[in-house]
Short mmCIF file of all heavy atoms in Angstrom, two decimals:
data_model
loop_
_atom_site.label_atom_id
_atom_site.label_comp_id
_atom_site.label_asym_id
_atom_site.label_seq_id
_atom_site.Cartn_x
_atom_site.Cartn_y
_atom_site.Cartn_z
N MET O 1 -8.97 148.26 96.23
CA MET O 1 -9.73 147.07 96.49
C MET O 1 -10.56 146.74 95.25
O MET O 1 -10.77 147.60 94.40
CB MET O 1 -10.58 147.24 97.73
CG MET O 1 -11.85 148.01 97.57
SD MET O 1 -12.74 147.98 99.14
CE MET O 1 -14.07 149.02 98.67
N PHE O 2 -11.03 145.50 95.19
CA PHE O 2 -11.78 145.06 94.02
C PHE O 2 -13.23 144.77 94.38
O PHE O 2 -13.52 144.15 95.40
CB PHE O 2 -11.15 143.81 93.41
CG PHE O 2 -9.86 144.11 92.69
CD1 PHE O 2 -8.65 144.02 93.36
CD2 PHE O 2 -9.88 144.49 91.37
CE1 PHE O 2 -7.46 144.31 92.70
CE2 PHE O 2 -8.69 144.78 90.71
CZ PHE O 2 -7.48 144.69 91.37
N VAL O 3 -14.13 145.24 93.53
CA VAL O 3 -15.56 144.94 93.61
C VAL O 3 -16.00 144.53 92.21
O VAL O 3 -15.28 144.72 91.23
CB VAL O 3 -16.38 146.15 94.10
CG1 VAL O 3 -15.98 146.55 95.50
CG2 VAL O 3 -16.27 147.34 93.16
N THR O 4 -17.18 143.98 92.11
CA THR O 4 -17.74 143.62 90.81
C THR O 4 -18.90 144.57 90.52
O THR O 4 -19.83 144.68 91.32
CB THR O 4 -18.24 142.16 90.79
OG1 THR O 4 -17.14 141.31 91.13
CG2 THR O 4 -18.78 141.79 89.43
N ILE O 5 -18.79 145.28 89.39
CA ILE O 5 -19.82 146.23 88.98
C ILE O 5 -20.40 145.75 87.66
O ILE O 5 -19.68 145.64 86.67
CB ILE O 5 -19.25 147.66 88.84
CG1 ILE O 5 -18.66 148.13 90.17
CG2 ILE O 5 -20.34 148.62 88.35
CD1 ILE O 5 -17.96 149.48 90.10
N ASN O 6 -21.70 145.44 87.68
CA ASN O 6 -22.40 144.95 86.48
C ASN O 6 -21.64 143.79 85.83
O ASN O 6 -21.47 143.75 84.62
CB ASN O 6 -22.64 146.08 85.49
CG ASN O 6 -23.55 147.16 86.03
OD1 ASN O 6 -24.21 146.97 87.05
ND2 ASN O 6 -23.59 148.29 85.37
N GLY O 7 -21.17 142.87 86.68
CA GLY O 7 -20.52 141.66 86.20
C GLY O 7 -19.05 141.81 85.86
O GLY O 7 -18.40 140.84 85.48
N GLU O 8 -18.49 143.01 86.02
CA GLU O 8 -17.08 143.26 85.68
C GLU O 8 -16.29 143.59 86.94
O GLU O 8 -16.65 144.49 87.69
CB GLU O 8 -17.01 144.44 84.70
CG GLU O 8 -15.62 144.81 84.29
CD GLU O 8 -15.61 146.05 83.38
OE1 GLU O 8 -16.56 146.24 82.62
OE2 GLU O 8 -14.63 146.82 83.46
N LYS O 9 -15.20 142.86 87.17
CA LYS O 9 -14.34 143.13 88.32
C LYS O 9 -13.62 144.45 88.09
O LYS O 9 -13.00 144.66 87.04
CB LYS O 9 -13.34 142.00 88.50
CG LYS O 9 -12.61 142.05 89.80
CD LYS O 9 -11.78 140.79 90.00
CE LYS O 9 -11.12 140.80 91.36
NZ LYS O 9 -10.37 139.58 91.59
N ARG O 10 -13.75 145.35 89.07
CA ARG O 10 -13.14 146.69 88.94
C ARG O 10 -12.39 147.04 90.21
O ARG O 10 -12.81 146.69 91.31
CB ARG O 10 -14.23 147.76 88.73
CG ARG O 10 -15.18 147.50 87.59
CD ARG O 10 -15.00 148.38 86.39
NE ARG O 10 -14.72 149.76 86.60
CZ ARG O 10 -15.52 150.77 86.27
NH1 ARG O 10 -16.71 150.54 85.78
NH2 ARG O 10 -15.14 152.01 86.43
N GLU O 11 -11.30 147.77 90.04
CA GLU O 11 -10.55 148.27 91.19
C GLU O 11 -11.05 149.66 91.52
O GLU O 11 -11.18 150.52 90.63
CB GLU O 11 -9.06 148.30 90.90
CG GLU O 11 -8.23 148.66 92.10
CD GLU O 11 -6.73 148.50 91.87
OE1 GLU O 11 -6.32 148.29 90.71
OE2 GLU O 11 -5.99 148.57 92.86
N ILE O 12 -11.35 149.89 92.81
CA ILE O 12 -11.79 151.21 93.27
C ILE O 12 -11.00 151.56 94.52
O ILE O 12 -10.43 150.68 95.17
CB ILE O 12 -13.31 151.23 93.57
CG1 ILE O 12 -13.66 150.25 94.70
CG2 ILE O 12 -14.13 150.93 92.32
CD1 ILE O 12 -15.06 150.40 95.25
N PRO O 13 -10.96 152.85 94.87
CA PRO O 13 -10.27 153.23 96.10
C PRO O 13 -10.95 152.62 97.33
O PRO O 13 -12.19 152.55 97.39
CB PRO O 13 -10.39 154.76 96.12
CG PRO O 13 -10.68 155.15 94.71
CD PRO O 13 -11.44 154.01 94.12
N ALA O 14 -10.18 152.21 98.30
CA ALA O 14 -10.73 151.69 99.55
C ALA O 14 -11.42 152.82 100.31
O ALA O 14 -11.06 153.99 100.18
CB ALA O 14 -9.61 151.08 100.39
N GLY O 15 -12.42 152.46 101.10
CA GLY O 15 -13.08 153.44 101.96
C GLY O 15 -14.23 154.19 101.31
O GLY O 15 -14.78 155.10 101.91
N LEU O 16 -14.63 153.80 100.10
CA LEU O 16 -15.74 154.48 99.43
C LEU O 16 -17.08 153.99 99.96
O LEU O 16 -17.27 152.81 100.23
CB LEU O 16 -15.73 154.24 97.92
CG LEU O 16 -14.71 154.97 97.07
CD1 LEU O 16 -14.90 154.59 95.60
CD2 LEU O 16 -14.82 156.47 97.24
N THR O 17 -18.01 154.92 100.07
CA THR O 17 -19.41 154.57 100.28
C THR O 17 -20.05 154.49 98.90
O THR O 17 -19.41 154.83 97.89
CB THR O 17 -20.13 155.65 101.10
OG1 THR O 17 -20.08 156.88 100.37
CG2 THR O 17 -19.49 155.82 102.49
N LEU O 18 -21.32 154.10 98.84
CA LEU O 18 -22.01 154.12 97.55
C LEU O 18 -22.07 155.53 96.99
O LEU O 18 -21.89 155.73 95.79
CB LEU O 18 -23.42 153.54 97.68
CG LEU O 18 -23.52 152.03 97.81
CD1 LEU O 18 -24.97 151.62 97.97
CD2 LEU O 18 -22.89 151.34 96.62
N ALA O 19 -22.28 156.53 97.85
CA ALA O 19 -22.29 157.92 97.38
C ALA O 19 -20.94 158.29 96.78
O ALA O 19 -20.86 158.94 95.73
CB ALA O 19 -22.65 158.87 98.53
N GLY O 20 -19.86 157.88 97.43
CA GLY O 20 -18.52 158.15 96.91
C GLY O 20 -18.26 157.42 95.60
O GLY O 20 -17.60 157.96 94.71
N LEU O 21 -18.78 156.20 95.47
CA LEU O 21 -18.62 155.46 94.23
C LEU O 21 -19.33 156.16 93.07
O LEU O 21 -18.79 156.26 91.98
CB LEU O 21 -19.15 154.04 94.38
CG LEU O 21 -19.05 153.17 93.13
CD1 LEU O 21 -17.59 152.90 92.76
CD2 LEU O 21 -19.81 151.87 93.32
N VAL O 22 -20.53 156.66 93.33
CA VAL O 22 -21.26 157.39 92.29
C VAL O 22 -20.44 158.59 91.81
O VAL O 22 -20.31 158.82 90.61
CB VAL O 22 -22.66 157.82 92.81
CG1 VAL O 22 -23.32 158.81 91.87
CG2 VAL O 22 -23.54 156.59 93.01
N ARG O 23 -19.85 159.32 92.75
CA ARG O 23 -18.99 160.46 92.37
C ARG O 23 -17.75 159.97 91.62
O ARG O 23 -17.36 160.54 90.60
CB ARG O 23 -18.58 161.25 93.60
CG ARG O 23 -19.66 162.14 94.16
CD ARG O 23 -19.15 163.09 95.23
NE ARG O 23 -18.50 162.41 96.34
CZ ARG O 23 -19.14 161.91 97.40
NH1 ARG O 23 -20.44 162.02 97.49
NH2 ARG O 23 -18.47 161.32 98.36
N HIS O 24 -17.13 158.90 92.12
CA HIS O 24 -15.91 158.34 91.51
C HIS O 24 -16.16 157.93 90.06
O HIS O 24 -15.29 158.10 89.20
CB HIS O 24 -15.43 157.15 92.34
CG HIS O 24 -14.24 156.45 91.78
ND1 HIS O 24 -12.96 156.98 91.85
CD2 HIS O 24 -14.12 155.26 91.14
CE1 HIS O 24 -12.11 156.14 91.27
NE2 HIS O 24 -12.80 155.08 90.83
N LEU O 25 -17.35 157.39 89.79
CA LEU O 25 -17.69 156.94 88.44
C LEU O 25 -18.30 158.05 87.58
O LEU O 25 -18.67 157.80 86.43
CB LEU O 25 -18.66 155.75 88.52
CG LEU O 25 -18.12 154.50 89.20
CD1 LEU O 25 -19.21 153.44 89.32
CD2 LEU O 25 -16.91 153.95 88.46
N HIS O 26 -18.41 159.26 88.14
CA HIS O 26 -18.95 160.42 87.43
C HIS O 26 -20.38 160.18 86.95
O HIS O 26 -20.74 160.52 85.82
CB HIS O 26 -18.06 160.84 86.25
CG HIS O 26 -16.64 161.07 86.63
ND1 HIS O 26 -16.24 162.16 87.37
CD2 HIS O 26 -15.53 160.33 86.41
CE1 HIS O 26 -14.94 162.10 87.57
NE2 HIS O 26 -14.48 160.99 87.01
N LEU O 27 -21.19 159.56 87.82
CA LEU O 27 -22.58 159.29 87.50
C LEU O 27 -23.47 160.40 88.04
O LEU O 27 -23.12 161.06 89.02
CB LEU O 27 -23.01 157.95 88.09
CG LEU O 27 -22.22 156.74 87.63
CD1 LEU O 27 -22.64 155.50 88.42
CD2 LEU O 27 -22.40 156.52 86.13
N VAL O 28 -24.62 160.60 87.42
CA VAL O 28 -25.60 161.58 87.90
C VAL O 28 -26.49 160.86 88.92
O VAL O 28 -27.23 159.94 88.55
CB VAL O 28 -26.45 162.12 86.72
CG1 VAL O 28 -27.48 163.11 87.22
CG2 VAL O 28 -25.55 162.75 85.67
N PRO O 29 -26.40 161.25 90.19
CA PRO O 29 -27.08 160.50 91.26
C PRO O 29 -28.58 160.32 91.07
O PRO O 29 -29.11 159.25 91.38
CB PRO O 29 -26.80 161.32 92.52
CG PRO O 29 -25.58 162.09 92.21
CD PRO O 29 -25.62 162.35 90.73
N ASP O 30 -29.27 161.31 90.54
CA ASP O 30 -30.73 161.18 90.42
C ASP O 30 -31.15 160.34 89.22
O ASP O 30 -32.33 160.15 88.98
CB ASP O 30 -31.40 162.54 90.41
CG ASP O 30 -31.00 163.42 89.24
OD1 ASP O 30 -29.98 163.14 88.59
OD2 ASP O 30 -31.71 164.40 88.98
N ARG O 31 -30.20 159.80 88.48
CA ARG O 31 -30.51 158.93 87.34
C ARG O 31 -29.91 157.53 87.49
O ARG O 31 -29.68 156.84 86.50
CB ARG O 31 -30.00 159.57 86.04
CG ARG O 31 -30.71 160.84 85.71
CD ARG O 31 -30.32 161.34 84.36
NE ARG O 31 -31.05 162.53 84.05
CZ ARG O 31 -32.07 162.57 83.19
NH1 ARG O 31 -32.46 161.50 82.58
NH2 ARG O 31 -32.69 163.70 82.97
N VAL O 32 -29.65 157.15 88.75
CA VAL O 32 -28.99 155.88 89.01
C VAL O 32 -29.75 155.10 90.08
O VAL O 32 -30.23 155.68 91.05
CB VAL O 32 -27.53 156.13 89.50
CG1 VAL O 32 -26.87 154.86 89.96
CG2 VAL O 32 -26.71 156.77 88.41
N ALA O 33 -29.85 153.79 89.89
CA ALA O 33 -30.34 152.88 90.92
C ALA O 33 -29.23 151.86 91.18
O ALA O 33 -28.53 151.45 90.25
CB ALA O 33 -31.60 152.16 90.44
N ILE O 34 -29.04 151.51 92.45
CA ILE O 34 -27.93 150.62 92.82
C ILE O 34 -28.43 149.45 93.65
O ILE O 34 -29.17 149.62 94.62
CB ILE O 34 -26.85 151.38 93.62
CG1 ILE O 34 -26.31 152.56 92.81
CG2 ILE O 34 -25.72 150.43 94.01
CD1 ILE O 34 -25.31 153.41 93.56
N GLU O 35 -27.96 148.27 93.26
CA GLU O 35 -28.17 147.06 94.03
C GLU O 35 -26.80 146.64 94.57
O GLU O 35 -25.84 146.54 93.80
CB GLU O 35 -28.74 145.98 93.11
CG GLU O 35 -29.02 144.67 93.80
CD GLU O 35 -29.51 143.63 92.82
OE1 GLU O 35 -30.71 143.60 92.53
OE2 GLU O 35 -28.65 142.86 92.33
N LEU O 36 -26.72 146.43 95.86
CA LEU O 36 -25.47 146.03 96.52
C LEU O 36 -25.68 144.65 97.12
O LEU O 36 -26.54 144.48 98.00
CB LEU O 36 -25.09 147.04 97.60
CG LEU O 36 -23.90 146.70 98.49
CD1 LEU O 36 -22.63 146.53 97.68
CD2 LEU O 36 -23.72 147.76 99.57
N ASN O 37 -24.94 143.68 96.63
CA ASN O 37 -25.05 142.30 97.12
C ASN O 37 -26.50 141.82 97.12
O ASN O 37 -27.00 141.30 98.11
CB ASN O 37 -24.40 142.17 98.50
CG ASN O 37 -22.93 142.48 98.46
OD1 ASN O 37 -22.23 142.17 97.51
ND2 ASN O 37 -22.44 143.16 99.48
N ARG O 38 -27.17 142.06 95.98
CA ARG O 38 -28.54 141.60 95.71
C ARG O 38 -29.61 142.32 96.52
O ARG O 38 -30.73 141.85 96.63
CB ARG O 38 -28.66 140.10 95.89
CG ARG O 38 -27.77 139.32 94.95
CD ARG O 38 -27.97 137.85 95.13
NE ARG O 38 -27.04 137.13 94.28
CZ ARG O 38 -27.40 136.33 93.31
NH1 ARG O 38 -28.67 136.12 93.06
NH2 ARG O 38 -26.50 135.70 92.59
N GLU O 39 -29.27 143.49 97.10
CA GLU O 39 -30.25 144.29 97.85
C GLU O 39 -30.24 145.70 97.28
O GLU O 39 -29.18 146.33 97.18
CB GLU O 39 -29.87 144.36 99.32
CG GLU O 39 -29.78 143.02 99.98
CD GLU O 39 -30.83 142.81 101.05
OE1 GLU O 39 -31.49 143.77 101.44
OE2 GLU O 39 -30.95 141.65 101.49
N ILE O 40 -31.42 146.19 96.91
CA ILE O 40 -31.51 147.56 96.41
C ILE O 40 -31.28 148.50 97.58
O ILE O 40 -31.85 148.33 98.66
CB ILE O 40 -32.88 147.82 95.77
CG1 ILE O 40 -33.02 146.95 94.51
CG2 ILE O 40 -33.03 149.30 95.43
CD1 ILE O 40 -34.38 146.99 93.88
N VAL O 41 -30.42 149.49 97.37
CA VAL O 41 -30.11 150.48 98.40
C VAL O 41 -30.75 151.80 97.99
O VAL O 41 -30.49 152.30 96.89
CB VAL O 41 -28.59 150.65 98.58
CG1 VAL O 41 -28.29 151.68 99.67
CG2 VAL O 41 -27.92 149.33 98.89
N SER O 42 -31.59 152.34 98.86
CA SER O 42 -32.22 153.62 98.55
C SER O 42 -31.16 154.72 98.51
O SER O 42 -30.11 154.61 99.16
CB SER O 42 -33.28 153.97 99.60
OG SER O 42 -32.68 154.27 100.83
N ARG O 43 -31.44 155.76 97.79
CA ARG O 43 -30.50 156.88 97.68
C ARG O 43 -30.16 157.43 99.07
O ARG O 43 -29.03 157.85 99.32
CB ARG O 43 -31.11 157.96 96.78
CG ARG O 43 -30.08 158.75 96.04
CD ARG O 43 -30.70 159.63 94.96
NE ARG O 43 -30.91 158.85 93.75
CZ ARG O 43 -32.09 158.65 93.17
NH1 ARG O 43 -33.18 159.17 93.66
NH2 ARG O 43 -32.18 157.93 92.08
N ASP O 44 -31.12 157.43 99.98
CA ASP O 44 -30.87 157.90 101.35
C ASP O 44 -29.83 157.05 102.08
O ASP O 44 -29.17 157.54 102.99
CB ASP O 44 -32.16 157.89 102.16
CG ASP O 44 -33.17 158.92 101.69
OD1 ASP O 44 -32.77 159.90 101.02
OD2 ASP O 44 -34.37 158.73 101.96
N GLY O 45 -29.67 155.80 101.67
CA GLY O 45 -28.72 154.91 102.33
C GLY O 45 -27.33 154.89 101.73
O GLY O 45 -26.44 154.23 102.25
N TRP O 46 -27.14 155.61 100.63
CA TRP O 46 -25.84 155.57 99.95
C TRP O 46 -24.69 156.05 100.83
O TRP O 46 -23.61 155.50 100.78
CB TRP O 46 -25.86 156.40 98.67
CG TRP O 46 -26.68 155.81 97.57
CD1 TRP O 46 -27.40 154.65 97.58
CD2 TRP O 46 -26.86 156.36 96.27
NE1 TRP O 46 -28.02 154.46 96.37
CE2 TRP O 46 -27.70 155.50 95.55
CE3 TRP O 46 -26.39 157.52 95.65
CZ2 TRP O 46 -28.07 155.75 94.23
CZ3 TRP O 46 -26.77 157.76 94.34
CH2 TRP O 46 -27.60 156.88 93.64
N ARG O 47 -24.92 157.09 101.61
CA ARG O 47 -23.82 157.65 102.44
C ARG O 47 -23.40 156.70 103.55
O ARG O 47 -22.28 156.77 104.03
CB ARG O 47 -24.24 158.98 103.05
CG ARG O 47 -24.33 160.08 102.05
CD ARG O 47 -24.65 161.38 102.69
NE ARG O 47 -24.82 162.39 101.65
CZ ARG O 47 -24.98 163.66 101.89
NH1 ARG O 47 -25.01 164.09 103.13
NH2 ARG O 47 -25.12 164.50 100.91
N ASP O 48 -24.31 155.83 103.97
CA ASP O 48 -24.02 154.91 105.07
C ASP O 48 -23.54 153.54 104.60
O ASP O 48 -23.21 152.69 105.42
CB ASP O 48 -25.27 154.73 105.94
CG ASP O 48 -25.72 156.04 106.57
OD1 ASP O 48 -24.85 156.86 106.93
OD2 ASP O 48 -26.94 156.24 106.68
N SER O 49 -23.54 153.30 103.30
CA SER O 49 -23.19 151.98 102.76
C SER O 49 -21.73 151.96 102.35
O SER O 49 -21.36 152.34 101.24
CB SER O 49 -24.08 151.65 101.56
OG SER O 49 -25.42 151.58 101.95
N LEU O 50 -20.87 151.50 103.26
CA LEU O 50 -19.43 151.43 103.01
C LEU O 50 -19.14 150.17 102.20
O LEU O 50 -19.56 149.07 102.57
CB LEU O 50 -18.67 151.39 104.33
CG LEU O 50 -17.16 151.42 104.25
CD1 LEU O 50 -16.67 152.72 103.61
CD2 LEU O 50 -16.56 151.25 105.63
N LEU O 51 -18.43 150.34 101.10
CA LEU O 51 -18.12 149.21 100.24
C LEU O 51 -16.98 148.38 100.83
O LEU O 51 -16.05 148.92 101.45
CB LEU O 51 -17.76 149.70 98.84
CG LEU O 51 -18.92 150.37 98.10
CD1 LEU O 51 -18.44 151.01 96.81
CD2 LEU O 51 -20.02 149.36 97.83
N GLN O 52 -17.06 147.07 100.60
CA GLN O 52 -16.07 146.13 101.10
C GLN O 52 -15.48 145.34 99.94
O GLN O 52 -16.12 145.16 98.90
CB GLN O 52 -16.73 145.14 102.07
CG GLN O 52 -17.41 145.79 103.26
CD GLN O 52 -16.44 146.45 104.21
OE1 GLN O 52 -15.35 145.92 104.46
NE2 GLN O 52 -16.80 147.60 104.73
N GLU O 53 -14.27 144.85 100.12
CA GLU O 53 -13.62 143.98 99.13
C GLU O 53 -14.57 142.86 98.74
O GLU O 53 -15.17 142.22 99.60
CB GLU O 53 -12.34 143.40 99.73
CG GLU O 53 -11.58 142.48 98.82
CD GLU O 53 -10.74 143.21 97.79
OE1 GLU O 53 -10.29 144.34 98.05
OE2 GLU O 53 -10.52 142.63 96.71
N GLY O 54 -14.74 142.65 97.44
CA GLY O 54 -15.56 141.55 96.94
C GLY O 54 -17.04 141.84 96.79
O GLY O 54 -17.79 140.98 96.36
N ASP O 55 -17.48 143.05 97.16
CA ASP O 55 -18.89 143.39 96.99
C ASP O 55 -19.30 143.28 95.53
O ASP O 55 -18.49 143.49 94.62
CB ASP O 55 -19.19 144.82 97.47
CG ASP O 55 -19.36 144.92 98.98
OD1 ASP O 55 -19.55 143.88 99.65
OD2 ASP O 55 -19.33 146.06 99.49
N ALA O 56 -20.57 142.95 95.31
CA ALA O 56 -21.13 142.87 93.97
C ALA O 56 -22.21 143.93 93.82
O ALA O 56 -23.13 144.00 94.64
CB ALA O 56 -21.71 141.49 93.72
N LEU O 57 -22.06 144.77 92.80
CA LEU O 57 -23.01 145.85 92.56
C LEU O 57 -23.61 145.73 91.17
O LEU O 57 -22.93 145.34 90.22
CB LEU O 57 -22.31 147.21 92.66
CG LEU O 57 -21.65 147.51 93.99
CD1 LEU O 57 -20.16 147.43 93.85
CD2 LEU O 57 -22.07 148.86 94.47
N GLU O 58 -24.86 146.10 91.09
CA GLU O 58 -25.51 146.30 89.79
C GLU O 58 -25.94 147.75 89.79
O GLU O 58 -26.64 148.21 90.71
CB GLU O 58 -26.73 145.39 89.62
CG GLU O 58 -26.39 143.92 89.50
CD GLU O 58 -25.61 143.58 88.24
OE1 GLU O 58 -25.87 144.20 87.19
OE2 GLU O 58 -24.76 142.68 88.29
N ILE O 59 -25.49 148.49 88.80
CA ILE O 59 -25.82 149.91 88.69
C ILE O 59 -26.59 150.12 87.40
O ILE O 59 -26.13 149.75 86.33
CB ILE O 59 -24.54 150.78 88.70
CG1 ILE O 59 -23.77 150.55 89.99
CG2 ILE O 59 -24.90 152.25 88.51
CD1 ILE O 59 -22.44 151.27 90.07
N VAL O 60 -27.78 150.69 87.54
CA VAL O 60 -28.64 150.93 86.40
C VAL O 60 -28.74 152.44 86.18
O VAL O 60 -29.04 153.19 87.11
CB VAL O 60 -30.05 150.34 86.64
CG1 VAL O 60 -30.96 150.64 85.47
CG2 VAL O 60 -29.97 148.85 86.90
N HIS O 61 -28.47 152.87 84.94
CA HIS O 61 -28.59 154.28 84.57
C HIS O 61 -29.95 154.47 83.93
O HIS O 61 -30.29 153.76 82.98
CB HIS O 61 -27.53 154.69 83.55
CG HIS O 61 -26.13 154.43 83.99
ND1 HIS O 61 -25.31 153.57 83.34
CD2 HIS O 61 -25.43 154.89 85.03
CE1 HIS O 61 -24.15 153.52 83.95
NE2 HIS O 61 -24.20 154.31 84.99
N LEU O 62 -30.72 155.38 84.42
CA LEU O 62 -32.01 155.70 83.84
C LEU O 62 -31.82 156.70 82.70
O LEU O 62 -31.12 157.69 82.87
CB LEU O 62 -32.95 156.26 84.91
CG LEU O 62 -33.12 155.37 86.13
CD1 LEU O 62 -33.94 156.08 87.19
CD2 LEU O 62 -33.73 154.05 85.76
N VAL O 63 -32.42 156.40 81.59
CA VAL O 63 -32.27 157.25 80.40
C VAL O 63 -33.65 157.75 79.98
O VAL O 63 -34.58 156.96 79.85
CB VAL O 63 -31.62 156.46 79.25
CG1 VAL O 63 -31.49 157.34 78.00
CG2 VAL O 63 -30.26 155.91 79.66
N GLY O 64 -33.76 159.04 79.79
CA GLY O 64 -35.02 159.61 79.32
C GLY O 64 -34.94 159.92 77.84
O GLY O 64 -33.88 159.88 77.23
N GLY O 65 -36.05 160.20 77.28
CA GLY O 65 -36.05 160.56 75.87
C GLY O 65 -37.35 160.14 75.22
O GLY O 65 -38.23 159.59 75.86
N GLY O 66 -37.42 160.39 73.95
CA GLY O 66 -38.68 160.07 73.30
C GLY O 66 -38.48 159.58 71.91
O GLY O 66 -37.51 159.22 71.39
#
């Protein structure tokens, strides 16, 4: 199925939750914030947020350093 991630149309496996998408994209969960269809989803809600065809996501990676 296709979703839009940070403005780019991407194909992902059907049936993924936000938690599954984070794993699929090899992201570090504690360094990511996700907006799904213009709503920020708390990390606690990732397992319950099933992705649908056409969803729009903004994923922000937090970077530390000095």
Side-chain angles (χ1 to χ4, degrees):
M1 79 176 177
F2 287 92
V3 298
T4 302
I5 301 174
N6 296 347
E8 179 183 328
K9 192 172 184 178
R10 306 252 320 245
E11 186 172 11
I12 62 169
L16 285 181
T17 61
L18 284 178
L21 179 66
V22 168
R23 284 190 303 274
H24 177 75
L25 297 175
H26 306 288
L27 301 173
V28 179
D30 62 343
R31 295 187 178 255
V32 172
I34 301 176
E35 181 184 276
L36 174 60
N37 298 323
R38 299 182 184 242
E39 302 245 348
I40 294 173
V41 181
S42 70
R43 210 169 276 120
D44 292 339
W46 289 1
R47 289 184 184 187
D48 298 324
S49 298
L50 184 63
L51 294 172
Q52 302 292 321
E53 179 80 29
D55 279 344
L57 301 107
E58 291 294 325
I59 300 175
V60 178
H61 304 117
L62 305 174
V63 179

